[in-house]
Amino acid sequence: MDVEGGGFSNPVKRNSWRTVLSLAYQSLGVVYGDLSTSPLYVYKSTFAEDIQHSETNEEIYGVLSFVFWTLTLVPLLKYVFIVLRADDDGEGGTFALYSLLCRHARVGFLPNGQLADEEISAYKKTDRGGAGSPSGGVGAASRVRVMLERHQVLQKMLLILALIGTCMVIGDGVLTPAISVFSAVSGLELSMAREHHKYVEVPIVCLILIGLFALQHYGTHRVGFLFAPVVIIWLLCISAIGVYNIFHWNPHVYQALSPYYMYKFVKKTQRGGWMSLGGILLCITGSEAMYADLGHFSQLSIKIAFTSVVYPSLILAYMGQAAYLSKHHVIENEYRIGFYVSVPEQIRWPVLCIAILAAVVGSQAIITGTFSIIKQCSALGCFPRVKIVHTSSKFHGQIYIPEINWILMILCLAVTIGFRDTKHMGNAAGLAVITVMLVTTCLMSLVIVLCWHKSIFLAVCFILFFGTIEALYFSASLIKFLEGAWVPIAFSCIFMIIMYVWHYGTLKKYQFDVQNKVSIEWLLGLGPSLGIVRVRGIGLIHTELVSGIPSIFSHFITNLPAFHQVLIFLCIKSIPVPHVHPEERFLVGRIGPKEYRLYRCIVRYGYRDVQKDDLEFEKDIVCSIAEFIRSGTSGPNGAAVESEKDDARMTVVGAGIRLCEVGDDPGEAAGPSSSTEIQSPIRARKKVRFVLPTSPRMNASTREELQELMEAREAGMAFILGHSYVRAKSGSGFVRRLAINYGYDFLRRNSRGPAYAVNIPYASTLEVGMIYYV
């Protein structure tokens, strides 16, 4: 694991400068595409209607001063020097902050958590900011933790805060492609009449957006090598144009970097200047990507790319635009104050082409980021299960979600056709951007106390300083509610309702399972045959429970006269860590005495882990059970046996027995002289073998149990899934009945099944209907 906290998910993260510089180069195309295209629309959005030019340069200098200090304080100071340090085992983003808090205080919303989950190496309570903590830091963390754990209202507020930030990121995934591509294409307005331009611009933007979303299923890795060069060329281009404008039009524009011009701007423009802040804040759109995409790169590489390339290029670009505008106070039309008016006429067409490519790259990054955060929400039980397609076998973060992709495209086209100008799009995008930053600031203040063990005073200073800046921009954006800012609020409300209803219904369904689970005494009373005929094969029963017998099992054997010789109660769950090491993934235990052949297998995934397909998954489950049997911890009185007194004792199963199919060489798996084969005496359809180490020696009962597991594996595996019908209890209130009977039921019927069950053949699947009254 590297010093930057990247974890095992990205093996290329090392300390060599060659690797760091390579990651910095790659990050330019993935992380900074959105931020680098902001000069296309910042000045146009700022000067739209709120403030007008005068014969002096006070307004122009004031806007430039605001842009400079906003870029310096928020992306540079806040994100590069502070927030990037709050990584969750190398991962970043809103849910990374939230999961980090969940591990330092019991405020998590996952109902099936276990104490064994806290023993996972990735669950360790990192203390990256703890060095040199004030003496009162640990005591402050303890007091804050106790307060959060004691009051459920605070826990719900924390969850809602994280969901608001997530919803605004999804809204940004709709608005950023629209405003970026629209602003890039708007360069056509300088080469044709206004009456012709308005009929050409929107169709071209729509065609580009449709093509962008239609190509998502190919994955970014197929064209990813073009991303960084496009962004680098774009940054060099706007830097060169900025330098040219500075020396050609106004070499003294550097004076506007003084904060004194901000004071003069506010004093002169007053309410109009305050409202124009909604356009100025667009200069930091895409800054959150530095933290959200941290899992693909390292902290150092992102810092180098921003401080050495992106930040100076953006400053020069904005200074060049201000220098040009300072000498051109008379603007014929409002739309001619955009970026392209400051571009020399001889190179406008090449710049237009580069700008469109850069806008597409920036849009691609935010769309992929939206897919990633929805996957995290789904893994942590806050979003309906959707189909997730991994477009690259090398990079785990490159995914494609078909349903979300087409929803984003439809919404993006609706925003483009509905607004048709960057003013309203800018108002909408600005509110989404600043809301995500406010959420990050609030969560970050808790991280400073709980995770870094700093004093509460330092956390208060952090939230007051950055929170005041962002609250000022937030108020300027919110005041434009009727002028476009209502769009991200509407999107957020819709996605917020979906997320909360799904989380609420899932939680109530799990509580029903816990309250109605079958007792171990009932199972022991059935005897080894469970009171029915045991047939050959393995029965894999999917359940959300981590202990006890689910009611679906009793419902099944009540209606069917036979069951499989080996039963595995399978629970697949996510825990609030980004990744779980493969050797810590399986938690195995026995239910009842050994002769019952009942096992429980809990499979644990992090919110960014990739789940295997059905064949690999099936092999891993059987191998984990076999290793559990061989390890000797599964004796009749062993700690891993579930009983009527304690049904929650499990054993972590690491690497051990391998299951070899036809064509595998068992000698390669365990060495030519360190393994023994146990083969089934019955001729099977497929040649399947366990490869076992020769020591410690296996006793007769262990060998017999392994052989029976082998025979069952060869006979086939059946997957038993519950088909649930969730209804509100009689006497429930109107809101609860509406949420459960209509909202959750609709989402459940239209969502995907368990991730591993997507590729399971229908012939091997059994569904058991159950009605849940919650």
mmCIF file with all atom_site columns, all heavy atoms in Angstrom, residues 588 590 627-641 650-653:
data_model
loop_
_atom_site.group_PDB
_atom_site.id
_atom_site.type_symbol
_atom_site.label_atom_id
_atom_site.label_alt_id
_atom_site.label_comp_id
_atom_site.label_asym_id
_atom_site.label_entity_id
_atom_site.label_seq_id
_atom_site.pdbx_PDB_ins_code
_atom_site.Cartn_x
_atom_site.Cartn_y
_atom_site.Cartn_z
_atom_site.occupancy
_atom_site.B_iso_or_equiv
_atom_site.pdbx_formal_charge
_atom_site.auth_seq_id
_atom_site.auth_comp_id
_atom_site.auth_asym_id
_atom_site.auth_atom_id
_atom_site.pdbx_PDB_model_num
ATOM 1   N N   . VAL A 1 588 ? -17.315 -17.432 6.840  1.00 0.00 ? 588 VAL A N   1
ATOM 2   C CA  . VAL A 1 588 ? -18.020 -18.711 6.752  1.00 0.00 ? 588 VAL A CA  1
ATOM 3   C C   . VAL A 1 588 ? -18.284 -19.261 8.141  1.00 0.00 ? 588 VAL A C   1
ATOM 4   O O   . VAL A 1 588 ? -17.443 -19.136 9.047  1.00 0.00 ? 588 VAL A O   1
ATOM 5   C CB  . VAL A 1 588 ? -17.208 -19.728 5.919  1.00 0.00 ? 588 VAL A CB  1
ATOM 6   C CG1 . VAL A 1 588 ? -17.959 -21.045 5.782  1.00 0.00 ? 588 VAL A CG1 1
ATOM 7   C CG2 . VAL A 1 588 ? -16.905 -19.151 4.534  1.00 0.00 ? 588 VAL A CG2 1
ATOM 8   N N   . ARG A 1 590 ? -20.910 -22.500 10.351 1.00 0.00 ? 590 ARG A N   1
ATOM 9   C CA  . ARG A 1 590 ? -21.767 -23.672 10.254 1.00 0.00 ? 590 ARG A CA  1
ATOM 10  C C   . ARG A 1 590 ? -23.044 -23.431 11.035 1.00 0.00 ? 590 ARG A C   1
ATOM 11  O O   . ARG A 1 590 ? -23.020 -22.837 12.119 1.00 0.00 ? 590 ARG A O   1
ATOM 12  C CB  . ARG A 1 590 ? -21.031 -24.900 10.798 1.00 0.00 ? 590 ARG A CB  1
ATOM 13  C CG  . ARG A 1 590 ? -21.755 -26.220 10.567 1.00 0.00 ? 590 ARG A CG  1
ATOM 14  C CD  . ARG A 1 590 ? -21.078 -27.348 11.330 1.00 0.00 ? 590 ARG A CD  1
ATOM 15  N NE  . ARG A 1 590 ? -19.699 -27.542 10.921 1.00 0.00 ? 590 ARG A NE  1
ATOM 16  C CZ  . ARG A 1 590 ? -19.337 -28.177 9.813  1.00 0.00 ? 590 ARG A CZ  1
ATOM 17  N NH1 . ARG A 1 590 ? -20.262 -28.662 9.002  1.00 0.00 ? 590 ARG A NH1 1
ATOM 18  N NH2 . ARG A 1 590 ? -18.061 -28.314 9.506  1.00 0.00 ? 590 ARG A NH2 1
ATOM 19  N N   . GLU A 1 627 ? -12.405 -24.744 2.252  1.00 0.00 ? 627 GLU A N   1
ATOM 20  C CA  . GLU A 1 627 ? -11.297 -24.301 3.103  1.00 0.00 ? 627 GLU A CA  1
ATOM 21  C C   . GLU A 1 627 ? -11.750 -24.186 4.554  1.00 0.00 ? 627 GLU A C   1
ATOM 22  O O   . GLU A 1 627 ? -10.989 -24.490 5.484  1.00 0.00 ? 627 GLU A O   1
ATOM 23  C CB  . GLU A 1 627 ? -10.766 -22.965 2.599  1.00 0.00 ? 627 GLU A CB  1
ATOM 24  C CG  . GLU A 1 627 ? -9.726  -22.303 3.482  1.00 0.00 ? 627 GLU A CG  1
ATOM 25  C CD  . GLU A 1 627 ? -8.470  -23.153 3.638  1.00 0.00 ? 627 GLU A CD  1
ATOM 26  O OE1 . GLU A 1 627 ? -8.252  -24.059 2.808  1.00 0.00 ? 627 GLU A OE1 1
ATOM 27  O OE2 . GLU A 1 627 ? -7.716  -22.920 4.599  1.00 0.00 ? 627 GLU A OE2 1
ATOM 28  N N   . PHE A 1 628 ? -12.986 -23.788 4.759  1.00 0.00 ? 628 PHE A N   1
ATOM 29  C CA  . PHE A 1 628 ? -13.540 -23.698 6.108  1.00 0.00 ? 628 PHE A CA  1
ATOM 30  C C   . PHE A 1 628 ? -13.584 -25.083 6.753  1.00 0.00 ? 628 PHE A C   1
ATOM 31  O O   . PHE A 1 628 ? -13.225 -25.264 7.922  1.00 0.00 ? 628 PHE A O   1
ATOM 32  C CB  . PHE A 1 628 ? -14.936 -23.094 6.037  1.00 0.00 ? 628 PHE A CB  1
ATOM 33  C CG  . PHE A 1 628 ? -15.713 -23.182 7.322  1.00 0.00 ? 628 PHE A CG  1
ATOM 34  C CD1 . PHE A 1 628 ? -15.426 -22.354 8.387  1.00 0.00 ? 628 PHE A CD1 1
ATOM 35  C CD2 . PHE A 1 628 ? -16.742 -24.106 7.464  1.00 0.00 ? 628 PHE A CD2 1
ATOM 36  C CE1 . PHE A 1 628 ? -16.144 -22.443 9.565  1.00 0.00 ? 628 PHE A CE1 1
ATOM 37  C CE2 . PHE A 1 628 ? -17.468 -24.203 8.628  1.00 0.00 ? 628 PHE A CE2 1
ATOM 38  C CZ  . PHE A 1 628 ? -17.162 -23.369 9.686  1.00 0.00 ? 628 PHE A CZ  1
ATOM 39  N N   . ILE A 1 629 ? -14.016 -26.092 5.982  1.00 0.00 ? 629 ILE A N   1
ATOM 40  C CA  . ILE A 1 629 ? -14.072 -27.458 6.495  1.00 0.00 ? 629 ILE A CA  1
ATOM 41  C C   . ILE A 1 629 ? -12.665 -27.963 6.804  1.00 0.00 ? 629 ILE A C   1
ATOM 42  O O   . ILE A 1 629 ? -12.415 -28.564 7.858  1.00 0.00 ? 629 ILE A O   1
ATOM 43  C CB  . ILE A 1 629 ? -14.772 -28.376 5.471  1.00 0.00 ? 629 ILE A CB  1
ATOM 44  C CG1 . ILE A 1 629 ? -16.242 -27.948 5.298  1.00 0.00 ? 629 ILE A CG1 1
ATOM 45  C CG2 . ILE A 1 629 ? -14.697 -29.828 5.908  1.00 0.00 ? 629 ILE A CG2 1
ATOM 46  C CD1 . ILE A 1 629 ? -16.932 -28.659 4.152  1.00 0.00 ? 629 ILE A CD1 1
ATOM 47  N N   . ARG A 1 630 ? -11.718 -27.716 5.888  1.00 0.00 ? 630 ARG A N   1
ATOM 48  C CA  . ARG A 1 630 ? -10.360 -28.218 6.058  1.00 0.00 ? 630 ARG A CA  1
ATOM 49  C C   . ARG A 1 630 ? -9.623  -27.553 7.211  1.00 0.00 ? 630 ARG A C   1
ATOM 50  O O   . ARG A 1 630 ? -8.764  -28.161 7.868  1.00 0.00 ? 630 ARG A O   1
ATOM 51  C CB  . ARG A 1 630 ? -9.574  -28.004 4.770  1.00 0.00 ? 630 ARG A CB  1
ATOM 52  C CG  . ARG A 1 630 ? -8.194  -28.648 4.774  1.00 0.00 ? 630 ARG A CG  1
ATOM 53  C CD  . ARG A 1 630 ? -7.256  -27.945 3.822  1.00 0.00 ? 630 ARG A CD  1
ATOM 54  N NE  . ARG A 1 630 ? -7.050  -26.561 4.193  1.00 0.00 ? 630 ARG A NE  1
ATOM 55  C CZ  . ARG A 1 630 ? -6.197  -26.159 5.145  1.00 0.00 ? 630 ARG A CZ  1
ATOM 56  N NH1 . ARG A 1 630 ? -5.504  -27.031 5.839  1.00 0.00 ? 630 ARG A NH1 1
ATOM 57  N NH2 . ARG A 1 630 ? -6.076  -24.875 5.436  1.00 0.00 ? 630 ARG A NH2 1
ATOM 58  N N   . SER A 1 631 ? -9.937  -26.277 7.472  1.00 0.00 ? 631 SER A N   1
ATOM 59  C CA  . SER A 1 631 ? -9.158  -25.506 8.442  1.00 0.00 ? 631 SER A CA  1
ATOM 60  C C   . SER A 1 631 ? -9.285  -26.027 9.859  1.00 0.00 ? 631 SER A C   1
ATOM 61  O O   . SER A 1 631 ? -8.452  -25.705 10.706 1.00 0.00 ? 631 SER A O   1
ATOM 62  C CB  . SER A 1 631 ? -9.574  -24.030 8.398  1.00 0.00 ? 631 SER A CB  1
ATOM 63  O OG  . SER A 1 631 ? -10.936 -23.902 8.781  1.00 0.00 ? 631 SER A OG  1
ATOM 64  N N   . GLY A 1 632 ? -10.342 -26.836 10.164 1.00 0.00 ? 632 GLY A N   1
ATOM 65  C CA  . GLY A 1 632 ? -10.478 -27.413 11.489 1.00 0.00 ? 632 GLY A CA  1
ATOM 66  C C   . GLY A 1 632 ? -11.196 -26.547 12.480 1.00 0.00 ? 632 GLY A C   1
ATOM 67  O O   . GLY A 1 632 ? -11.355 -26.917 13.644 1.00 0.00 ? 632 GLY A O   1
ATOM 68  N N   . THR A 1 633 ? -11.645 -25.316 12.072 1.00 0.00 ? 633 THR A N   1
ATOM 69  C CA  . THR A 1 633 ? -12.387 -24.440 12.989 1.00 0.00 ? 633 THR A CA  1
ATOM 70  C C   . THR A 1 633 ? -13.861 -24.748 12.992 1.00 0.00 ? 633 THR A C   1
ATOM 71  O O   . THR A 1 633 ? -14.635 -24.033 13.594 1.00 0.00 ? 633 THR A O   1
ATOM 72  C CB  . THR A 1 633 ? -12.197 -22.975 12.585 1.00 0.00 ? 633 THR A CB  1
ATOM 73  O OG1 . THR A 1 633 ? -12.668 -22.809 11.240 1.00 0.00 ? 633 THR A OG1 1
ATOM 74  C CG2 . THR A 1 633 ? -10.745 -22.581 12.673 1.00 0.00 ? 633 THR A CG2 1
ATOM 75  N N   . SER A 1 634 ? -14.263 -25.787 12.262 1.00 0.00 ? 634 SER A N   1
ATOM 76  C CA  . SER A 1 634 ? -15.674 -26.088 12.108 1.00 0.00 ? 634 SER A CA  1
ATOM 77  C C   . SER A 1 634 ? -16.113 -27.300 12.898 1.00 0.00 ? 634 SER A C   1
ATOM 78  O O   . SER A 1 634 ? -17.054 -27.979 12.559 1.00 0.00 ? 634 SER A O   1
ATOM 79  C CB  . SER A 1 634 ? -15.991 -26.322 10.623 1.00 0.00 ? 634 SER A CB  1
ATOM 80  O OG  . SER A 1 634 ? -15.183 -27.366 10.120 1.00 0.00 ? 634 SER A OG  1
ATOM 81  N N   . GLY A 1 635 ? -15.384 -27.617 13.960 1.00 0.00 ? 635 GLY A N   1
ATOM 82  C CA  . GLY A 1 635 ? -15.752 -28.766 14.756 1.00 0.00 ? 635 GLY A CA  1
ATOM 83  C C   . GLY A 1 635 ? -17.074 -28.583 15.444 1.00 0.00 ? 635 GLY A C   1
ATOM 84  O O   . GLY A 1 635 ? -17.652 -27.496 15.472 1.00 0.00 ? 635 GLY A O   1
ATOM 85  N N   . PRO A 1 636 ? -17.605 -29.618 16.083 1.00 0.00 ? 636 PRO A N   1
ATOM 86  C CA  . PRO A 1 636 ? -18.918 -29.551 16.703 1.00 0.00 ? 636 PRO A CA  1
ATOM 87  C C   . PRO A 1 636 ? -19.018 -28.478 17.770 1.00 0.00 ? 636 PRO A C   1
ATOM 88  O O   . PRO A 1 636 ? -20.055 -27.864 17.955 1.00 0.00 ? 636 PRO A O   1
ATOM 89  C CB  . PRO A 1 636 ? -19.090 -30.950 17.306 1.00 0.00 ? 636 PRO A CB  1
ATOM 90  C CG  . PRO A 1 636 ? -18.128 -31.830 16.566 1.00 0.00 ? 636 PRO A CG  1
ATOM 91  C CD  . PRO A 1 636 ? -17.005 -30.974 16.179 1.00 0.00 ? 636 PRO A CD  1
ATOM 92  N N   . ASN A 1 637 ? -17.936 -28.250 18.469 1.00 0.00 ? 637 ASN A N   1
ATOM 93  C CA  . ASN A 1 637 ? -17.939 -27.241 19.521 1.00 0.00 ? 637 ASN A CA  1
ATOM 94  C C   . ASN A 1 637 ? -17.054 -26.049 19.172 1.00 0.00 ? 637 ASN A C   1
ATOM 95  O O   . ASN A 1 637 ? -16.679 -25.278 20.036 1.00 0.00 ? 637 ASN A O   1
ATOM 96  C CB  . ASN A 1 637 ? -17.465 -27.859 20.838 1.00 0.00 ? 637 ASN A CB  1
ATOM 97  C CG  . ASN A 1 637 ? -18.369 -29.004 21.278 1.00 0.00 ? 637 ASN A CG  1
ATOM 98  O OD1 . ASN A 1 637 ? -19.587 -28.893 21.188 1.00 0.00 ? 637 ASN A OD1 1
ATOM 99  N ND2 . ASN A 1 637 ? -17.771 -30.099 21.749 1.00 0.00 ? 637 ASN A ND2 1
ATOM 100 N N   . GLY A 1 638 ? -16.729 -25.918 17.898 1.00 0.00 ? 638 GLY A N   1
ATOM 101 C CA  . GLY A 1 638 ? -15.824 -24.858 17.480 1.00 0.00 ? 638 GLY A CA  1
ATOM 102 C C   . GLY A 1 638 ? -16.463 -23.503 17.549 1.00 0.00 ? 638 GLY A C   1
ATOM 103 O O   . GLY A 1 638 ? -17.671 -23.339 17.618 1.00 0.00 ? 638 GLY A O   1
ATOM 104 N N   . ALA A 1 639 ? -15.620 -22.484 17.499 1.00 0.00 ? 639 ALA A N   1
ATOM 105 C CA  . ALA A 1 639 ? -16.121 -21.117 17.629 1.00 0.00 ? 639 ALA A CA  1
ATOM 106 C C   . ALA A 1 639 ? -16.919 -20.675 16.429 1.00 0.00 ? 639 ALA A C   1
ATOM 107 O O   . ALA A 1 639 ? -17.626 -19.694 16.494 1.00 0.00 ? 639 ALA A O   1
ATOM 108 C CB  . ALA A 1 639 ? -14.938 -20.168 17.848 1.00 0.00 ? 639 ALA A CB  1
ATOM 109 N N   . ALA A 1 640 ? -16.784 -21.386 15.305 1.00 0.00 ? 640 ALA A N   1
ATOM 110 C CA  . ALA A 1 640 ? -17.451 -20.951 14.092 1.00 0.00 ? 640 ALA A CA  1
ATOM 111 C C   . ALA A 1 640 ? -18.818 -21.583 13.907 1.00 0.00 ? 640 ALA A C   1
ATOM 112 O O   . ALA A 1 640 ? -19.468 -21.368 12.916 1.00 0.00 ? 640 ALA A O   1
ATOM 113 C CB  . ALA A 1 640 ? -16.580 -21.274 12.881 1.00 0.00 ? 640 ALA A CB  1
ATOM 114 N N   . VAL A 1 641 ? -19.264 -22.408 14.869 1.00 0.00 ? 641 VAL A N   1
ATOM 115 C CA  . VAL A 1 641 ? -20.536 -23.109 14.731 1.00 0.00 ? 641 VAL A CA  1
ATOM 116 C C   . VAL A 1 641 ? -21.656 -22.250 15.274 1.00 0.00 ? 641 VAL A C   1
ATOM 117 O O   . VAL A 1 641 ? -21.603 -21.768 16.406 1.00 0.00 ? 641 VAL A O   1
ATOM 118 C CB  . VAL A 1 641 ? -20.495 -24.457 15.490 1.00 0.00 ? 641 VAL A CB  1
ATOM 119 C CG1 . VAL A 1 641 ? -21.819 -25.164 15.357 1.00 0.00 ? 641 VAL A CG1 1
ATOM 120 C CG2 . VAL A 1 641 ? -19.373 -25.318 14.955 1.00 0.00 ? 641 VAL A CG2 1
ATOM 121 N N   . MET A 1 650 ? -18.522 -16.490 13.220 1.00 0.00 ? 650 MET A N   1
ATOM 122 C CA  . MET A 1 650 ? -18.102 -16.833 11.873 1.00 0.00 ? 650 MET A CA  1
ATOM 123 C C   . MET A 1 650 ? -16.573 -16.855 11.819 1.00 0.00 ? 650 MET A C   1
ATOM 124 O O   . MET A 1 650 ? -15.893 -16.375 12.723 1.00 0.00 ? 650 MET A O   1
ATOM 125 C CB  . MET A 1 650 ? -18.644 -15.828 10.861 1.00 0.00 ? 650 MET A CB  1
ATOM 126 C CG  . MET A 1 650 ? -20.142 -15.574 10.961 1.00 0.00 ? 650 MET A CG  1
ATOM 127 S SD  . MET A 1 650 ? -21.108 -16.924 10.297 1.00 0.00 ? 650 MET A SD  1
ATOM 128 C CE  . MET A 1 650 ? -20.824 -16.692 8.552  1.00 0.00 ? 650 MET A CE  1
ATOM 129 N N   . THR A 1 651 ? -16.062 -17.409 10.726 1.00 0.00 ? 651 THR A N   1
ATOM 130 C CA  . THR A 1 651 ? -14.621 -17.489 10.519 1.00 0.00 ? 651 THR A CA  1
ATOM 131 C C   . THR A 1 651 ? -14.263 -16.861 9.185  1.00 0.00 ? 651 THR A C   1
ATOM 132 O O   . THR A 1 651 ? -14.909 -17.137 8.173  1.00 0.00 ? 651 THR A O   1
ATOM 133 C CB  . THR A 1 651 ? -14.153 -18.959 10.535 1.00 0.00 ? 651 THR A CB  1
ATOM 134 O OG1 . THR A 1 651 ? -14.426 -19.510 11.820 1.00 0.00 ? 651 THR A OG1 1
ATOM 135 C CG2 . THR A 1 651 ? -12.661 -19.056 10.247 1.00 0.00 ? 651 THR A CG2 1
ATOM 136 N N   . VAL A 1 652 ? -13.239 -16.009 9.185  1.00 0.00 ? 652 VAL A N   1
ATOM 137 C CA  . VAL A 1 652 ? -12.741 -15.445 7.934  1.00 0.00 ? 652 VAL A CA  1
ATOM 138 C C   . VAL A 1 652 ? -11.942 -16.517 7.212  1.00 0.00 ? 652 VAL A C   1
ATOM 139 O O   . VAL A 1 652 ? -11.031 -17.117 7.782  1.00 0.00 ? 652 VAL A O   1
ATOM 140 C CB  . VAL A 1 652 ? -11.854 -14.214 8.188  1.00 0.00 ? 652 VAL A CB  1
ATOM 141 C CG1 . VAL A 1 652 ? -11.280 -13.697 6.879  1.00 0.00 ? 652 VAL A CG1 1
ATOM 142 C CG2 . VAL A 1 652 ? -12.655 -13.126 8.879  1.00 0.00 ? 652 VAL A CG2 1
ATOM 143 N N   . VAL A 1 653 ? -12.284 -16.781 5.970  1.00 0.00 ? 653 VAL A N   1
ATOM 144 C CA  . VAL A 1 653 ? -11.639 -17.822 5.178  1.00 0.00 ? 653 VAL A CA  1
ATOM 145 C C   . VAL A 1 653 ? -10.781 -17.154 4.126  1.00 0.00 ? 653 VAL A C   1
ATOM 146 O O   . VAL A 1 653 ? -11.284 -16.390 3.293  1.00 0.00 ? 653 VAL A O   1
ATOM 147 C CB  . VAL A 1 653 ? -12.675 -18.751 4.517  1.00 0.00 ? 653 VAL A CB  1
ATOM 148 C CG1 . VAL A 1 653 ? -11.975 -19.771 3.623  1.00 0.00 ? 653 VAL A CG1 1
ATOM 149 C CG2 . VAL A 1 653 ? -13.484 -19.462 5.582  1.00 0.00 ? 653 VAL A CG2 1
#
